Amino acid sequence: MVPMARLDQLGSDATALAGFAELFRQRWNREAICNETVRLCRVHCQPDQIIGIAGWLMQNFDYAFATLAVEEMPDAGWALTYVFYKDDRAPWIHLELTLDKSISVVPSLVGLPHGPSVDWHEREVEDLFGLHFEGHPRLGEFVLHEDWPEGTNPLCHDFDAHRHYEKRAANAKWEAPTIVAAPGVFAMPVGPVFADFAESAHFLLETVGEDVIRTIPRFFYKYRGVEKIAEGQPFDRALLLAERFSGTAAFAHGLAFCQAVENIAGIMPPPRALALRTVFAELERLRSHAAAITGICNSTALAVATSQAALIEEKLLRLSCEVTGHRYLFGTVAPGGVVCDLSEVVVRHLTSEVGLAAQQLRDLLQMLRYSSSFLDRLEEVGIVSEEEARAYGLVGPIGRASGVARDIRKLFPYAAYGSLDFTVPIEHEGDGYARLRILFAEAQQSASIINSSLSGLPEGQSRLGDIQPRSGVALSAVESPLGAAFHWLRLDADGRVVRYHIAPPSFANWHALHLAAENFAFQDFPIILASFALSNAECDR
Amino acid sequence: MANWVFKGLRIGVKSSAYPRWPDDAPGVSPGRPVNTPLSSTAAAAALAARCPTGAIKGEDGSIIIDHGRCVHCFRCVRDVEEPASWRQGYEWAVQETEADTALRSLARIFGRSLHVRFVDAGACGACMSEARQINNPYYNMHRLGFFITPTPRNADVLLVAGPVSDAMRLPLRKTYDAMPTPKRVVAIGACAASGGIFGPSFAAADGAAAIIPVDVVVPGCPPPPLAILHGLLVAVERKPPAGVHYSLRETEPA
């Protein structure tokens, strides 16, 4: 048995990668292909090794699971890539698995202590590709609801995406399988059409009276098959899908897509473009966090605070429209840079308005901190422990409220984040109030990042000319307002999309909602939902 | 608690003057491209080719915009030699059907108290966010007598966003059926108008009209809050709908 070396003790940069490759060779007899410029280790595994290696990475080295990218290769069968990431020194690790087309059984990773972070990814792949994960206890009916016939897998190449697919008649009386059996137990269905402006999703809450004992979510009511309909589209058309599948995080996802295209084409946008991307990404985060704060105030029925937060949100929407032409920053980013440059006048306007919004948010927090009726609804409500957050691979503000300090802006700096000095706010309580504090702290930080980026905006052009498409594959990661988003993109030689896989933060975080909602009272459920502030459009795609 | 009351009073009234007067505050609307005469047929064809959603038709040296398909990508105005005209404004709602006489008489009596049920049929979040904004102090729909109701049983108007994903066909249909007559449907956003960039496909329809009868369509990606208010005002005939072409009537006070 080889002694376990900790990756963070392997020194920095090149030595870490070399040491890691050596470790892989000794422990697993596998050659790791390392690329130091992009900090990436690719390891080709045997099917019987995947559980061992994945568990080894997550338990011994604190690696987090990012996504599972599956491709149907024209000649080689199935290609599965398990993506793992860790911190700002350790490399990305891609565990690659190639399976013959006739094989449709893959070992499942859900049995591992960190299994919950892989759980939904495997269920998704099972539905969309028809691969069976051996040992997974809950396969079937996830993305595709019960009216889809078994054996039809829309992401396989032979499935026609453009034709309406005739399904079985939907079962209007669908009920989730209940689990709790006790005298007086009943199940309360919520959704898919519920509350005032809620997104379509269904929750079955099992209870014996006051407390919610089990929360069984049913999502993908909004599944639009974005990954499938992107296939065959030229990359500039697919960019519209990347921006619009989750309109409230349009810039972040558009940026992730553009970065993937740039990686494939081997180009780097000019410095001014990178700085402007940082500004727009933070403007979006600021607005998104203001919206989440509005939602939390609204869920506790604190009317004046809701109005005040909504005023800030609307002002930021108008500001976005003034500087980029669109209230949700649609059409702002493009491969090779940004479409909207900012004049000196606009820069001054943006700086002062963002400063004002930050000041108003500070005032709001100050008042909220002394509103006991408000704090009572949030404190020690909807708790997700750090251990759970790590097991479920939580990302973004929700992860950081539970003590998981992962932030892609720090781990794998993109745009101009590498040259900026900022700290990632972190809380450890994991309750609704911790999530609210994180939102406020990050909003302040976004405002200061915008200000420092604008004050040192590099001169020069903000966009490269036309991009020559090349065939290739790339994984791009950004910290969207809701957390880490991973975009896997393969283009052909004409620049058309062959495979596009999105692992959005809402997909990772929705999975943990039941942890927060269970064993709390019914009336806390809307508040817990609001403090998670997730998007179903983003999760369902 | 008193602090909140003072805070509210200190901020004062923020509500838009619309629909009494036009609201031209910067950033209330992204605007949209409009039909434009161009110098040549080739220039019109070039713009039509640039449009990724087929919303632009080039005809005899000018372009015709199908607003139901336009997703505000700005590709017909940015980085082109001869761009399309871009017009500010937000009175975009178009009427698809005439209100029946029963509704007309009802609208006269109850048109100032309208209960709206919102259904998300696969919207991307931006339309939903804009629909949520009509409740914020700037747009304050309550001053117009519009209220959001959580149950379709109390609703007069169904506000739909999204191309209608397959899993939402049945819930949308059931919500519509649960509403008492007379009722009207307002579809907001390019997706609900035409399927947008998502539909029709294996997973989504080509707009709300494929599932339920739609009375008013508010195009836009997303339509700004004032456009959604305009849509509701059109639904109860308190505002005229936008013409197919832009006209001065759109900005005139009521």
Side-chain angles (χ1 to χ4, degrees):
Chain A
M1 191 76 184
V2 178
M4 299 291 183
R6 287 185 60 88
L7 265 189
D8 51 6
Q9 292 168 348
L10 287 172
S12 62
D13 305 320
T15 41
L17 259 69
F20 195 77
E22 178 59 28
L23 212 60
F24 249 108
R25 197 174 302 114
Q26 289 175 7
R27 176 72 178 80
W28 297 100
N29 193 23
R30 287 278 129 201
E31 288 300 325
I33 306 160
C34 293
N35 182 331
E36 275 157 30
T37 44
V38 294
R39 255 170 63 216
L40 167 69
C41 264
R42 290 168 54 204
V43 185
H44 197 87
C45 308
Q46 296 297 330
D48 56 351
Q49 285 181 314
I50 189 81
I51 295 179
I53 299 182
W56 181 69
L57 283 174
M58 292 195 279
Q59 275 158 264
N60 295 12
F61 299 107
D62 192 30
Y63 260 90
F65 178 75
T67 185
L68 167 58
V70 178
E71 294 191 70
E72 191 185 3
M73 306 308 268
D75 42 0
W78 302 106
L80 283 74
T81 310
Y82 295 77
V83 180
F84 296 86
Y85 68 114
K86 187 189 172 191
D87 58 24
D88 55 348
R89 280 167 297 170
W92 289 100
I93 294 187
H94 289 187
L95 298 184
E96 298 172 347
L97 202 61
T98 319
L99 297 173
D100 195 78
K101 204 57 185 288
S102 60
I103 298 172
S104 60
V105 179
V106 191
S108 167
L109 304 185
V110 285
L112 294 168
H114 292 68
S117 60
V118 198
D119 181 354
W120 277 18
H121 291 268
E122 290 185 349
R123 290 180 70 180
E124 185 186 22
V125 170
E126 200 260 356
D127 258 7
L128 300 180
F129 286 94
L131 287 175
H132 187 81
F133 288 86
E134 202 171 24
H136 196 302
R138 287 175 297 275
L139 288 177
E141 208 203 300
F142 181 58
V143 178
L144 310 172
H145 290 176
E146 83 286 348
D147 48 344
W148 269 82
E150 290 296 316
T152 309
N153 307 108
L155 255 68
C156 291
H157 282 321
D158 56 6
F159 185 87
D160 182 2
H162 304 292
R163 224 161 30 95
H164 177 69
Y165 186 68
E166 238 5 277
K167 296 173 225 24
R168 299 193 290 231
N171 178 4
K173 294 222 175 347
W174 181 88
E175 275 175 33
T178 50
I179 293 170
V180 181
V185 70
F186 68 98
M188 167 102 162
V190 178
V193 178
F194 70 109
D196 287 354
F197 287 110
E199 281 193 272
S200 295
H202 179 90
F203 304 93
L204 193 74
L205 308 177
E206 284 191 81
T207 176
V208 283
E210 181 70 8
D211 282 2
V212 174
I213 299 173
R214 292 279 306 180
T215 305
I216 305 165
R218 189 187 197 222
F219 293 145
F220 298 97
Y221 281 93
K222 302 178 68 169
Y223 178 66
R224 287 147 291 163
V226 167
E227 295 176 359
K228 180 67 184 183
I229 55 181
E231 286 178 10
Q233 291 187 356
F235 66 81
D236 56 350
R237 174 67 170 77
L239 172 61
L240 295 180
L241 285 171
E243 283 182 325
R244 284 165 181 77
F245 81 90
S246 175
T248 46
F251 188 83
H253 289 296
L255 175 59
F257 181 84
C258 290
Q259 285 183 173
V261 173
E262 287 156 10
N263 288 353
I264 292 171
I267 55 166
M268 188 63 163
R272 187 176 175 84
L274 296 178
L276 286 172
R277 283 177 171 186
T278 314
V279 170
F280 294 140
E282 293 307 317
L283 183 60
E284 182 172 80
R285 191 183 321 278
L286 186 58
R287 191 210 69 229
S288 175
H289 282 11
I293 291 164
T294 312
I296 293 174
C297 294
N298 190 34
S299 73
T300 61
L302 194 59
V304 183
T306 310
S307 295
Q308 298 308 316
L311 286 174
I312 300 170
E313 185 193 349
E314 172 67 18
K315 280 186 84 167
L316 289 166
L317 282 167
R318 291 184 180 189
L319 183 63
S320 307
C321 189
E322 283 178 70
V323 300
T324 69
H326 197 280
R327 286 162 60 93
Y328 293 85
L329 306 174
F330 288 5
T332 304
V333 69
V338 289
V339 182
C340 308
D341 206 335
L342 303 181
S343 69
E344 290 251 346
V345 183
V346 175
V347 166
R348 273 199 299 277
H349 179 58
L350 186 56
T351 311
S352 69
E353 288 293 311
V354 164
L356 201 62
Q359 181 58 46
Q360 287 168 340
L361 280 170
R362 268 197 296 276
D363 294 346
L364 184 63
L365 176 62
Q366 203 55 26
M367 290 188 73
L368 288 173
R369 279 177 55 201
Y370 292 101
S371 301
S372 53
S373 66
F374 174 73
L375 295 183
D376 281 349
R377 307 302 304 273
L378 287 171
E379 278 182 309
E380 295 180 33
V381 167
I383 298 170
V384 180
S385 70
E386 180 172 349
E387 196 183 340
E388 289 168 335
R390 287 191 186 278
Y392 277 72
L394 298 195
V395 293
I398 297 172
R400 294 193 279 273
S402 294
V404 182
R406 290 195 174 102
D407 186 324
I408 299 295
R409 293 176 293 173
K410 279 280 180 201
L411 306 193
F412 303 96
Y414 54 95
Y417 288 113
S419 58
L420 286 166
D421 185 26
F422 64 101
T423 50
V424 178
I426 186 153
E427 300 281 349
H428 295 277
E429 286 89 341
D431 62 352
Y433 188 38
R435 291 193 278 276
L436 182 75
R437 289 201 304 274
I438 288 281
L439 290 175
F440 272 107
E442 291 193 2
Q444 291 302 331
Q445 198 185 51
S446 295
S448 71
I449 291 177
I450 293 173
N451 274 343
S452 56
S453 301
L454 286 177
S455 62
L457 208 56
E459 294 295 317
Q461 56 175 164
S462 59
R463 191 180 173 187
L464 299 175
D466 280 345
I467 292 184
Q468 286 307 313
R470 258 194 346 206
S471 70
V473 62
L475 176 80
S476 154
V478 297
E479 186 72 17
S480 83
L482 300 180
F486 306 95
H487 289 229
W488 174 277
L489 180 69
R490 183 182 292 278
L491 296 180
D492 68 12
D494 303 325
R496 286 178 182 274
V497 176
V498 178
R499 169 86 173 109
Y500 183 30
H501 172 62
I502 314 163
S506 293
F507 185 76
N509 287 349
W510 267 125
H511 191 191
L513 178 81
H514 76 95
L515 298 172
E518 284 166 7
N519 300 322
F520 289 99
F522 255 112
Q523 63 267 31
D524 290 332
F525 186 70
I527 297 173
I528 294 167
L529 267 186
S531 76
F532 265 62
L534 296 175
S535 159
N536 275 104
E538 191 179 73
C539 171
D540 298 359
R541 286 157 283 158
Chain B
M1 273 295 109
N3 278 345
W4 287 111
V5 177
F6 289 130
K7 171 90 172 172
L9 290 174
R10 207 165 51 240
I11 298 293
V13 177
K14 291 280 178 187
S15 295
S16 165
Y18 183 81
R20 189 175 284 273
W21 306 104
D23 188 339
D24 52 5
V28 289
S29 167
R32 60 178 184 177
V34 288
N35 300 345
T36 316
L38 296 168
S39 67
S40 66
T41 312
L47 277 189
R50 271 182 81 85
C51 181
T53 60
I56 298 182
K57 256 210 226 63
E59 271 175 18
D60 304 331
S62 64
I63 53 162
I64 313 284
I65 312 276
D66 175 357
H67 292 295
R69 301 212 71 86
C70 173
V71 294
H72 296 194
C73 67
F74 301 96
R75 291 180 192 177
C76 55
V77 282
R78 290 177 182 161
D79 302 329
V80 276
E81 269 179 36
E82 225 181 304
S85 298
W86 195 270
R87 195 86 48 97
Q88 291 305 315
Y90 39 79
E91 290 198 319
W92 296 347
V94 288
Q95 189 130 17
E96 298 283 300
T97 58
E98 286 294 313
D100 57 31
T101 37
L103 184 89
R104 279 233 161 101
S105 54
L106 267 174
R108 267 200 298 280
I109 308 165
F110 296 115
R112 286 172 196 279
S113 169
L114 193 73
H115 284 71
V116 179
R117 171 67 244 187
F118 177 79
V119 173
D120 157 26
C124 74
C127 277
M128 304 193 54
S129 173
E130 293 294 52
R132 214 176 276 133
Q133 302 308 326
I134 62 174
N135 220 347
N136 82 27
Y138 279 110
Y139 304 110
N140 186 11
M141 62 175 171
H142 296 168
R143 77 200 150 95
L144 301 171
F146 298 153
F147 301 92
I148 294 291
T149 168
T151 162
R153 301 274 184 213
N154 294 344
D156 308 304
V157 166
L158 189 62
L159 200 59
V160 193
V164 191
S165 55
D166 274 8
M168 281 310 291
R169 281 170 178 257
L170 182 64
L172 178 62
R173 182 79 227 178
K174 284 172 83 173
T175 308
Y176 178 79
D177 290 343
M179 288 168 62
T181 46
K183 53 191 165 185
R184 306 212 84 191
V185 176
V186 178
I188 57 168
C191 291
S194 68
I197 54 166
F198 300 111
S201 78
F202 74 103
D206 54 352
I211 319 296
I212 51 173
V214 171
D215 302 296
V216 176
V217 168
V218 188
C221 186
L226 288 174
I228 299 173
L229 280 185
H230 180 239
L232 292 174
L233 289 166
V234 168
V236 285
E237 309 205 330
R238 283 162 64 182
K239 269 276 178 186
V244 179
H245 301 284
Y246 187 86
S247 73
L248 279 176
R249 192 182 63 186
E250 279 190 27
T251 51
E252 270 172 11

